[in-house]
């Protein structure tokens, strides 16, 4: 009788599964892509309980990281970092896999959803799918300023300059020297005929430092482009 009570109590306090955590967020079905979307391109694995060799390999990989003594927070950061690495290499399924795995350990980190959104955009998913995950990214309580800049860039590319502006301004609020956010703001201003605001933003671009780790020569070429655009717009 005592053993049965202990077992029942353990079951009640068992941690939720990955699928249960995902389902608790009430993501709409369309946010995971269409019915024909392969699992390797489904955000958060489509909130499904996985099985098979791929799941087993992922579990083994995560267990190896845990064996290094990583806390859940550190584990989430490691997986997010790996996602960015694979994304930079153009390996979209591998990148999405790492962001998906990170969700279990860092669900409050907006970079999980930022990475998912970028994969969706680059994989050619409908804009509303990428847009949905970008919104999850900027609404999350944690994460770096890049999530606001990337969402702003995405909206700018959609031609929705009014919606992009608050996101880009948020990126600059958190990181005043964020040159990419400045460039997307300048583009939106000029496209909407807000020349004075565009000219002012180009001045900020010209005074900005190259992003850490970026190609300084390429950055200076971009600065030259914006100076030329400002001159054509009549900036003094």
């Amino acid at each position: 009788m005592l053993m049965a009570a202990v077992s029942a109590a353990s079951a009640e306090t068992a941690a939720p599964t990955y699928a249960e955590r995902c389902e608790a967020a009430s993501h709409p079905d369309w946010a995971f892509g269409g019915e024909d979307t392969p699992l390797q391109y489904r955000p958060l694995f489509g909130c499904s309980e996985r099985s098979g060799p791929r799941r087993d390999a992922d579990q083994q990989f995560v267990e190896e990281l845990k064996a290094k003594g990583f806390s859940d927070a550190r584990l989430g950061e490691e997986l997010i970092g790996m996602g960015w690495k694979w994304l930079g290499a153009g390996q979209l399924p591998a990148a999405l896999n790492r962001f998906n795995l990170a969700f279990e350990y860092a669900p409050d980190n907006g970079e999980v959803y930022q990475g998912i959104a970028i994969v969706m955009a680059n994989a050619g998913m409908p804009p509303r799918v990428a847009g949905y995950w970008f919104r999850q990214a900027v609404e999350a309580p944690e994460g770096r300023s890049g999530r606001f800049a990337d969402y702003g860039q995405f909206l700018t590319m959609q031609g929705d300059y009014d919606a992009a502006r608050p996101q880009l301004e948020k990126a600059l609020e958190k990181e005043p020297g964020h040159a990419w956010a400045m460039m997307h703001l300048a583009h939106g201003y000029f496209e909407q005929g807000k020349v004075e605001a565009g000219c002012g933003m180009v001045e900020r671009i010209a005074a900005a430092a190259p992003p850490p780790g970026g190609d300084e020569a390429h950055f200076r070429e971009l600065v030259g482009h914006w100076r030329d655009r400002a001159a054509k717009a009549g900036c003094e």
Side-chain angles (χ1 to χ4, degrees), residues 163-192:
R165 193 165 296 124
Q167 303 301 329
L168 297 168
E169 290 173 345
K170 186 73 172 180
L172 286 176
E173 177 186 321
K174 290 180 170 292
E175 187 180 340
H178 203 302
W180 305 130
M182 296 177 198
M183 292 180 187
H184 297 307
L185 276 168
H187 177 74
Y189 284 137
F190 285 130
E191 287 297 305
Q192 291 187 310

PDB file of all heavy atoms in Angstrom, residues 163-192:
ATOM      1  N   ALA A 163       5.553  48.582 -38.671  1.00  0.00           N
ATOM      2  CA  ALA A 163       5.660  47.521 -37.670  1.00  0.00           C
ATOM      3  C   ALA A 163       7.127  47.234 -37.335  1.00  0.00           C
ATOM      4  O   ALA A 163       7.453  46.853 -36.203  1.00  0.00           O
ATOM      5  CB  ALA A 163       4.981  46.250 -38.175  1.00  0.00           C
ATOM      6  N   ALA A 164       8.000  47.432 -38.308  1.00  0.00           N
ATOM      7  CA  ALA A 164       9.427  47.150 -38.091  1.00  0.00           C
ATOM      8  C   ALA A 164      10.067  48.153 -37.142  1.00  0.00           C
ATOM      9  O   ALA A 164      10.945  47.801 -36.333  1.00  0.00           O
ATOM     10  CB  ALA A 164      10.166  47.158 -39.429  1.00  0.00           C
ATOM     11  N   ARG A 165       9.624  49.402 -37.242  1.00  0.00           N
ATOM     12  CA  ARG A 165      10.309  50.475 -36.517  1.00  0.00           C
ATOM     13  C   ARG A 165      10.391  50.255 -35.008  1.00  0.00           C
ATOM     14  O   ARG A 165      11.477  50.398 -34.417  1.00  0.00           O
ATOM     15  CB  ARG A 165       9.635  51.820 -36.847  1.00  0.00           C
ATOM     16  CG  ARG A 165      10.458  53.030 -36.412  1.00  0.00           C
ATOM     17  CD  ARG A 165       9.933  54.288 -37.091  1.00  0.00           C
ATOM     18  NE  ARG A 165      10.105  54.183 -38.538  1.00  0.00           N
ATOM     19  CZ  ARG A 165       9.112  54.299 -39.418  1.00  0.00           C
ATOM     20  NH1 ARG A 165       7.876  54.537 -39.015  1.00  0.00           N
ATOM     21  NH2 ARG A 165       9.352  54.199 -40.716  1.00  0.00           N
ATOM     22  N   PRO A 166       9.292  49.887 -34.311  1.00  0.00           N
ATOM     23  CA  PRO A 166       9.410  49.683 -32.856  1.00  0.00           C
ATOM     24  C   PRO A 166      10.390  48.573 -32.487  1.00  0.00           C
ATOM     25  O   PRO A 166      11.062  48.656 -31.450  1.00  0.00           O
ATOM     26  CB  PRO A 166       7.977  49.315 -32.436  1.00  0.00           C
ATOM     27  CG  PRO A 166       7.105  49.856 -33.514  1.00  0.00           C
ATOM     28  CD  PRO A 166       7.900  49.738 -34.765  1.00  0.00           C
ATOM     29  N   GLN A 167      10.477  47.533 -33.325  1.00  0.00           N
ATOM     30  CA  GLN A 167      11.401  46.443 -33.038  1.00  0.00           C
ATOM     31  C   GLN A 167      12.848  46.908 -33.192  1.00  0.00           C
ATOM     32  O   GLN A 167      13.711  46.594 -32.356  1.00  0.00           O
ATOM     33  CB  GLN A 167      11.125  45.253 -33.968  1.00  0.00           C
ATOM     34  CG  GLN A 167       9.714  44.713 -33.895  1.00  0.00           C
ATOM     35  CD  GLN A 167       9.320  44.248 -32.508  1.00  0.00           C
ATOM     36  OE1 GLN A 167      10.159  43.786 -31.734  1.00  0.00           O
ATOM     37  NE2 GLN A 167       8.042  44.377 -32.177  1.00  0.00           N
ATOM     38  N   LEU A 168      13.105  47.664 -34.232  1.00  0.00           N
ATOM     39  CA  LEU A 168      14.460  48.164 -34.466  1.00  0.00           C
ATOM     40  C   LEU A 168      14.857  49.189 -33.415  1.00  0.00           C
ATOM     41  O   LEU A 168      16.014  49.219 -32.960  1.00  0.00           O
ATOM     42  CB  LEU A 168      14.547  48.763 -35.872  1.00  0.00           C
ATOM     43  CG  LEU A 168      14.306  47.756 -37.010  1.00  0.00           C
ATOM     44  CD1 LEU A 168      14.125  48.479 -38.334  1.00  0.00           C
ATOM     45  CD2 LEU A 168      15.448  46.750 -37.094  1.00  0.00           C
ATOM     46  N   GLU A 169      13.906  50.012 -33.002  1.00  0.00           N
ATOM     47  CA  GLU A 169      14.182  50.982 -31.937  1.00  0.00           C
ATOM     48  C   GLU A 169      14.455  50.273 -30.616  1.00  0.00           C
ATOM     49  O   GLU A 169      15.290  50.720 -29.821  1.00  0.00           O
ATOM     50  CB  GLU A 169      13.012  51.945 -31.806  1.00  0.00           C
ATOM     51  CG  GLU A 169      12.892  52.910 -32.988  1.00  0.00           C
ATOM     52  CD  GLU A 169      11.640  53.754 -32.943  1.00  0.00           C
ATOM     53  OE1 GLU A 169      10.714  53.400 -32.161  1.00  0.00           O
ATOM     54  OE2 GLU A 169      11.567  54.756 -33.675  1.00  0.00           O
ATOM     55  N   LYS A 170      13.762  49.159 -30.384  1.00  0.00           N
ATOM     56  CA  LYS A 170      14.007  48.373 -29.172  1.00  0.00           C
ATOM     57  C   LYS A 170      15.417  47.804 -29.191  1.00  0.00           C
ATOM     58  O   LYS A 170      16.104  47.777 -28.156  1.00  0.00           O
ATOM     59  CB  LYS A 170      12.984  47.239 -29.082  1.00  0.00           C
ATOM     60  CG  LYS A 170      13.050  46.439 -27.787  1.00  0.00           C
ATOM     61  CD  LYS A 170      12.497  47.218 -26.617  1.00  0.00           C
ATOM     62  CE  LYS A 170      12.379  46.369 -25.377  1.00  0.00           C
ATOM     63  NZ  LYS A 170      11.849  47.125 -24.225  1.00  0.00           N
ATOM     64  N   ALA A 171      15.854  47.349 -30.371  1.00  0.00           N
ATOM     65  CA  ALA A 171      17.218  46.828 -30.488  1.00  0.00           C
ATOM     66  C   ALA A 171      18.231  47.917 -30.148  1.00  0.00           C
ATOM     67  O   ALA A 171      19.224  47.672 -29.446  1.00  0.00           O
ATOM     68  CB  ALA A 171      17.457  46.293 -31.900  1.00  0.00           C
ATOM     69  N   LEU A 172      17.979  49.137 -30.617  1.00  0.00           N
ATOM     70  CA  LEU A 172      18.898  50.248 -30.330  1.00  0.00           C
ATOM     71  C   LEU A 172      18.817  50.689 -28.876  1.00  0.00           C
ATOM     72  O   LEU A 172      19.808  51.143 -28.304  1.00  0.00           O
ATOM     73  CB  LEU A 172      18.587  51.427 -31.250  1.00  0.00           C
ATOM     74  CG  LEU A 172      19.029  51.263 -32.709  1.00  0.00           C
ATOM     75  CD1 LEU A 172      18.572  52.454 -33.532  1.00  0.00           C
ATOM     76  CD2 LEU A 172      20.536  51.099 -32.806  1.00  0.00           C
ATOM     77  N   GLU A 173      17.655  50.556 -28.289  1.00  0.00           N
ATOM     78  CA  GLU A 173      17.509  50.878 -26.865  1.00  0.00           C
ATOM     79  C   GLU A 173      18.383  49.954 -26.026  1.00  0.00           C
ATOM     80  O   GLU A 173      19.025  50.380 -25.069  1.00  0.00           O
ATOM     81  CB  GLU A 173      16.046  50.739 -26.460  1.00  0.00           C
ATOM     82  CG  GLU A 173      15.760  50.973 -24.993  1.00  0.00           C
ATOM     83  CD  GLU A 173      14.316  50.677 -24.627  1.00  0.00           C
ATOM     84  OE1 GLU A 173      13.424  51.005 -25.439  1.00  0.00           O
ATOM     85  OE2 GLU A 173      14.084  50.113 -23.543  1.00  0.00           O
ATOM     86  N   LYS A 174      18.407  48.683 -26.413  1.00  0.00           N
ATOM     87  CA  LYS A 174      19.185  47.706 -25.663  1.00  0.00           C
ATOM     88  C   LYS A 174      20.664  47.727 -26.053  1.00  0.00           C
ATOM     89  O   LYS A 174      21.528  47.384 -25.253  1.00  0.00           O
ATOM     90  CB  LYS A 174      18.613  46.305 -25.890  1.00  0.00           C
ATOM     91  CG  LYS A 174      17.253  46.081 -25.231  1.00  0.00           C
ATOM     92  CD  LYS A 174      16.736  44.681 -25.481  1.00  0.00           C
ATOM     93  CE  LYS A 174      15.519  44.390 -24.626  1.00  0.00           C
ATOM     94  NZ  LYS A 174      15.831  44.317 -23.186  1.00  0.00           N
ATOM     95  N   GLU A 175      20.937  48.114 -27.301  1.00  0.00           N
ATOM     96  CA  GLU A 175      22.317  48.153 -27.794  1.00  0.00           C
ATOM     97  C   GLU A 175      22.450  49.373 -28.716  1.00  0.00           C
ATOM     98  O   GLU A 175      22.257  49.266 -29.925  1.00  0.00           O
ATOM     99  CB  GLU A 175      22.640  46.863 -28.552  1.00  0.00           C
ATOM    100  CG  GLU A 175      24.099  46.740 -28.948  1.00  0.00           C
ATOM    101  CD  GLU A 175      24.377  45.443 -29.693  1.00  0.00           C
ATOM    102  OE1 GLU A 175      23.583  44.490 -29.584  1.00  0.00           O
ATOM    103  OE2 GLU A 175      25.397  45.412 -30.402  1.00  0.00           O
ATOM    104  N   PRO A 176      22.779  50.539 -28.153  1.00  0.00           N
ATOM    105  CA  PRO A 176      22.789  51.789 -28.927  1.00  0.00           C
ATOM    106  C   PRO A 176      23.671  51.774 -30.178  1.00  0.00           C
ATOM    107  O   PRO A 176      23.429  52.537 -31.109  1.00  0.00           O
ATOM    108  CB  PRO A 176      23.293  52.816 -27.908  1.00  0.00           C
ATOM    109  CG  PRO A 176      22.881  52.255 -26.586  1.00  0.00           C
ATOM    110  CD  PRO A 176      23.053  50.765 -26.724  1.00  0.00           C
ATOM    111  N   GLY A 177      24.670  50.917 -30.199  1.00  0.00           N
ATOM    112  CA  GLY A 177      25.565  50.873 -31.353  1.00  0.00           C
ATOM    113  C   GLY A 177      25.212  49.822 -32.382  1.00  0.00           C
ATOM    114  O   GLY A 177      26.039  49.487 -33.239  1.00  0.00           O
ATOM    115  N   HIS A 178      23.988  49.306 -32.335  1.00  0.00           N
ATOM    116  CA  HIS A 178      23.578  48.214 -33.237  1.00  0.00           C
ATOM    117  C   HIS A 178      23.433  48.755 -34.664  1.00  0.00           C
ATOM    118  O   HIS A 178      22.381  49.259 -35.064  1.00  0.00           O
ATOM    119  CB  HIS A 178      22.259  47.608 -32.766  1.00  0.00           C
ATOM    120  CG  HIS A 178      22.030  46.218 -33.247  1.00  0.00           C
ATOM    121  ND1 HIS A 178      22.016  45.898 -34.592  1.00  0.00           N
ATOM    122  CD2 HIS A 178      21.811  45.048 -32.585  1.00  0.00           C
ATOM    123  CE1 HIS A 178      21.795  44.601 -34.725  1.00  0.00           C
ATOM    124  NE2 HIS A 178      21.676  44.071 -33.533  1.00  0.00           N
ATOM    125  N   ALA A 179      24.492  48.646 -35.451  1.00  0.00           N
ATOM    126  CA  ALA A 179      24.534  49.255 -36.783  1.00  0.00           C
ATOM    127  C   ALA A 179      23.502  48.666 -37.736  1.00  0.00           C
ATOM    128  O   ALA A 179      22.934  49.382 -38.569  1.00  0.00           O
ATOM    129  CB  ALA A 179      25.930  49.109 -37.371  1.00  0.00           C
ATOM    130  N   TRP A 180      23.255  47.343 -37.651  1.00  0.00           N
ATOM    131  CA  TRP A 180      22.297  46.730 -38.574  1.00  0.00           C
ATOM    132  C   TRP A 180      20.893  47.279 -38.330  1.00  0.00           C
ATOM    133  O   TRP A 180      20.144  47.534 -39.284  1.00  0.00           O
ATOM    134  CB  TRP A 180      22.303  45.214 -38.431  1.00  0.00           C
ATOM    135  CG  TRP A 180      23.649  44.573 -38.603  1.00  0.00           C
ATOM    136  CD1 TRP A 180      24.236  43.676 -37.762  1.00  0.00           C
ATOM    137  CD2 TRP A 180      24.589  44.771 -39.675  1.00  0.00           C
ATOM    138  NE1 TRP A 180      25.471  43.306 -38.229  1.00  0.00           N
ATOM    139  CE2 TRP A 180      25.718  43.971 -39.400  1.00  0.00           C
ATOM    140  CE3 TRP A 180      24.599  45.568 -40.817  1.00  0.00           C
ATOM    141  CZ2 TRP A 180      26.838  43.919 -40.239  1.00  0.00           C
ATOM    142  CZ3 TRP A 180      25.714  45.534 -41.652  1.00  0.00           C
ATOM    143  CH2 TRP A 180      26.799  44.723 -41.362  1.00  0.00           C
ATOM    144  N   ALA A 181      20.547  47.479 -37.071  1.00  0.00           N
ATOM    145  CA  ALA A 181      19.234  48.059 -36.762  1.00  0.00           C
ATOM    146  C   ALA A 181      19.138  49.471 -37.350  1.00  0.00           C
ATOM    147  O   ALA A 181      18.098  49.858 -37.901  1.00  0.00           O
ATOM    148  CB  ALA A 181      19.004  48.082 -35.250  1.00  0.00           C
ATOM    149  N   MET A 182      20.229  50.230 -37.249  1.00  0.00           N
ATOM    150  CA  MET A 182      20.236  51.578 -37.829  1.00  0.00           C
ATOM    151  C   MET A 182      19.989  51.527 -39.332  1.00  0.00           C
ATOM    152  O   MET A 182      19.229  52.334 -39.890  1.00  0.00           O
ATOM    153  CB  MET A 182      21.587  52.250 -37.558  1.00  0.00           C
ATOM    154  CG  MET A 182      21.923  52.492 -36.108  1.00  0.00           C
ATOM    155  SD  MET A 182      23.588  53.212 -35.990  1.00  0.00           S
ATOM    156  CE  MET A 182      23.972  52.895 -34.269  1.00  0.00           C
ATOM    157  N   MET A 183      20.628  50.584 -40.015  1.00  0.00           N
ATOM    158  CA  MET A 183      20.499  50.497 -41.472  1.00  0.00           C
ATOM    159  C   MET A 183      19.077  50.158 -41.895  1.00  0.00           C
ATOM    160  O   MET A 183      18.550  50.728 -42.861  1.00  0.00           O
ATOM    161  CB  MET A 183      21.486  49.462 -42.011  1.00  0.00           C
ATOM    162  CG  MET A 183      22.938  49.871 -41.876  1.00  0.00           C
ATOM    163  SD  MET A 183      24.087  48.622 -42.526  1.00  0.00           S
ATOM    164  CE  MET A 183      25.668  49.316 -42.018  1.00  0.00           C
ATOM    165  N   HIS A 184      18.448  49.251 -41.175  1.00  0.00           N
ATOM    166  CA  HIS A 184      17.069  48.895 -41.519  1.00  0.00           C
ATOM    167  C   HIS A 184      16.110  50.049 -41.210  1.00  0.00           C
ATOM    168  O   HIS A 184      15.146  50.277 -41.952  1.00  0.00           O
ATOM    169  CB  HIS A 184      16.656  47.627 -40.779  1.00  0.00           C
ATOM    170  CG  HIS A 184      17.473  46.436 -41.165  1.00  0.00           C
ATOM    171  ND1 HIS A 184      17.649  46.046 -42.474  1.00  0.00           N
ATOM    172  CD2 HIS A 184      18.181  45.555 -40.414  1.00  0.00           C
ATOM    173  CE1 HIS A 184      18.425  44.970 -42.522  1.00  0.00           C
ATOM    174  NE2 HIS A 184      18.767  44.665 -41.283  1.00  0.00           N
ATOM    175  N   LEU A 185      16.400  50.784 -40.147  1.00  0.00           N
ATOM    176  CA  LEU A 185      15.587  51.966 -39.854  1.00  0.00           C
ATOM    177  C   LEU A 185      15.746  53.011 -40.955  1.00  0.00           C
ATOM    178  O   LEU A 185      14.760  53.595 -41.423  1.00  0.00           O
ATOM    179  CB  LEU A 185      15.998  52.557 -38.504  1.00  0.00           C
ATOM    180  CG  LEU A 185      15.369  51.938 -37.258  1.00  0.00           C
ATOM    181  CD1 LEU A 185      16.080  52.420 -36.005  1.00  0.00           C
ATOM    182  CD2 LEU A 185      13.877  52.272 -37.173  1.00  0.00           C
ATOM    183  N   ALA A 186      16.994  53.248 -41.365  1.00  0.00           N
ATOM    184  CA  ALA A 186      17.246  54.229 -42.419  1.00  0.00           C
ATOM    185  C   ALA A 186      16.507  53.846 -43.697  1.00  0.00           C
ATOM    186  O   ALA A 186      15.899  54.694 -44.361  1.00  0.00           O
ATOM    187  CB  ALA A 186      18.749  54.341 -42.680  1.00  0.00           C
ATOM    188  N   HIS A 187      16.552  52.561 -44.040  1.00  0.00           N
ATOM    189  CA  HIS A 187      15.864  52.087 -45.247  1.00  0.00           C
ATOM    190  C   HIS A 187      14.371  52.386 -45.170  1.00  0.00           C
ATOM    191  O   HIS A 187      13.776  52.909 -46.127  1.00  0.00           O
ATOM    192  CB  HIS A 187      16.093  50.591 -45.419  1.00  0.00           C
ATOM    193  CG  HIS A 187      15.359  50.014 -46.593  1.00  0.00           C
ATOM    194  ND1 HIS A 187      15.753  50.226 -47.894  1.00  0.00           N
ATOM    195  CD2 HIS A 187      14.231  49.245 -46.664  1.00  0.00           C
ATOM    196  CE1 HIS A 187      14.916  49.613 -48.713  1.00  0.00           C
ATOM    197  NE2 HIS A 187      13.989  49.018 -47.992  1.00  0.00           N
ATOM    198  N   GLY A 188      13.772  52.067 -44.039  1.00  0.00           N
ATOM    199  CA  GLY A 188      12.340  52.313 -43.873  1.00  0.00           C
ATOM    200  C   GLY A 188      12.001  53.788 -43.961  1.00  0.00           C
ATOM    201  O   GLY A 188      11.006  54.175 -44.591  1.00  0.00           O
ATOM    202  N   TYR A 189      12.827  54.634 -43.341  1.00  0.00           N
ATOM    203  CA  TYR A 189      12.573  56.074 -43.383  1.00  0.00           C
ATOM    204  C   TYR A 189      12.599  56.589 -44.821  1.00  0.00           C
ATOM    205  O   TYR A 189      11.701  57.317 -45.255  1.00  0.00           O
ATOM    206  CB  TYR A 189      13.623  56.825 -42.556  1.00  0.00           C
ATOM    207  CG  TYR A 189      13.430  56.732 -41.056  1.00  0.00           C
ATOM    208  CD1 TYR A 189      14.508  56.509 -40.209  1.00  0.00           C
ATOM    209  CD2 TYR A 189      12.168  56.899 -40.486  1.00  0.00           C
ATOM    210  CE1 TYR A 189      14.347  56.441 -38.830  1.00  0.00           C
ATOM    211  CE2 TYR A 189      11.992  56.833 -39.106  1.00  0.00           C
ATOM    212  CZ  TYR A 189      13.090  56.600 -38.290  1.00  0.00           C
ATOM    213  OH  TYR A 189      12.918  56.536 -36.926  1.00  0.00           O
ATOM    214  N   PHE A 190      13.635  56.207 -45.570  1.00  0.00           N
ATOM    215  CA  PHE A 190      13.746  56.696 -46.938  1.00  0.00           C
ATOM    216  C   PHE A 190      12.620  56.159 -47.818  1.00  0.00           C
ATOM    217  O   PHE A 190      12.083  56.882 -48.663  1.00  0.00           O
ATOM    218  CB  PHE A 190      15.109  56.327 -47.528  1.00  0.00           C
ATOM    219  CG  PHE A 190      16.250  57.157 -47.008  1.00  0.00           C
ATOM    220  CD1 PHE A 190      17.408  56.559 -46.533  1.00  0.00           C
ATOM    221  CD2 PHE A 190      16.175  58.542 -46.994  1.00  0.00           C
ATOM    222  CE1 PHE A 190      18.474  57.315 -46.061  1.00  0.00           C
ATOM    223  CE2 PHE A 190      17.228  59.323 -46.519  1.00  0.00           C
ATOM    224  CZ  PHE A 190      18.383  58.706 -46.047  1.00  0.00           C
ATOM    225  N   GLU A 191      12.272  54.887 -47.612  1.00  0.00           N
ATOM    226  CA  GLU A 191      11.203  54.309 -48.426  1.00  0.00           C
ATOM    227  C   GLU A 191       9.873  54.995 -48.167  1.00  0.00           C
ATOM    228  O   GLU A 191       9.026  55.085 -49.062  1.00  0.00           O
ATOM    229  CB  GLU A 191      11.076  52.809 -48.126  1.00  0.00           C
ATOM    230  CG  GLU A 191      12.195  51.960 -48.700  1.00  0.00           C
ATOM    231  CD  GLU A 191      12.233  51.998 -50.213  1.00  0.00           C
ATOM    232  OE1 GLU A 191      11.203  51.702 -50.837  1.00  0.00           O
ATOM    233  OE2 GLU A 191      13.302  52.349 -50.771  1.00  0.00           O
ATOM    234  N   GLN A 192       9.670  55.502 -46.967  1.00  0.00           N
ATOM    235  CA  GLN A 192       8.421  56.183 -46.620  1.00  0.00           C
ATOM    236  C   GLN A 192       8.498  57.694 -46.824  1.00  0.00           C
ATOM    237  O   GLN A 192       7.566  58.412 -46.490  1.00  0.00           O
ATOM    238  CB  GLN A 192       8.043  55.879 -45.172  1.00  0.00           C
ATOM    239  CG  GLN A 192       7.618  54.434 -44.938  1.00  0.00           C
ATOM    240  CD  GLN A 192       7.097  54.215 -43.526  1.00  0.00           C
ATOM    241  OE1 GLN A 192       7.729  54.590 -42.544  1.00  0.00           O
ATOM    242  NE2 GLN A 192       5.921  53.594 -43.435  1.00  0.00           N
TER     243      GLN A 192
END
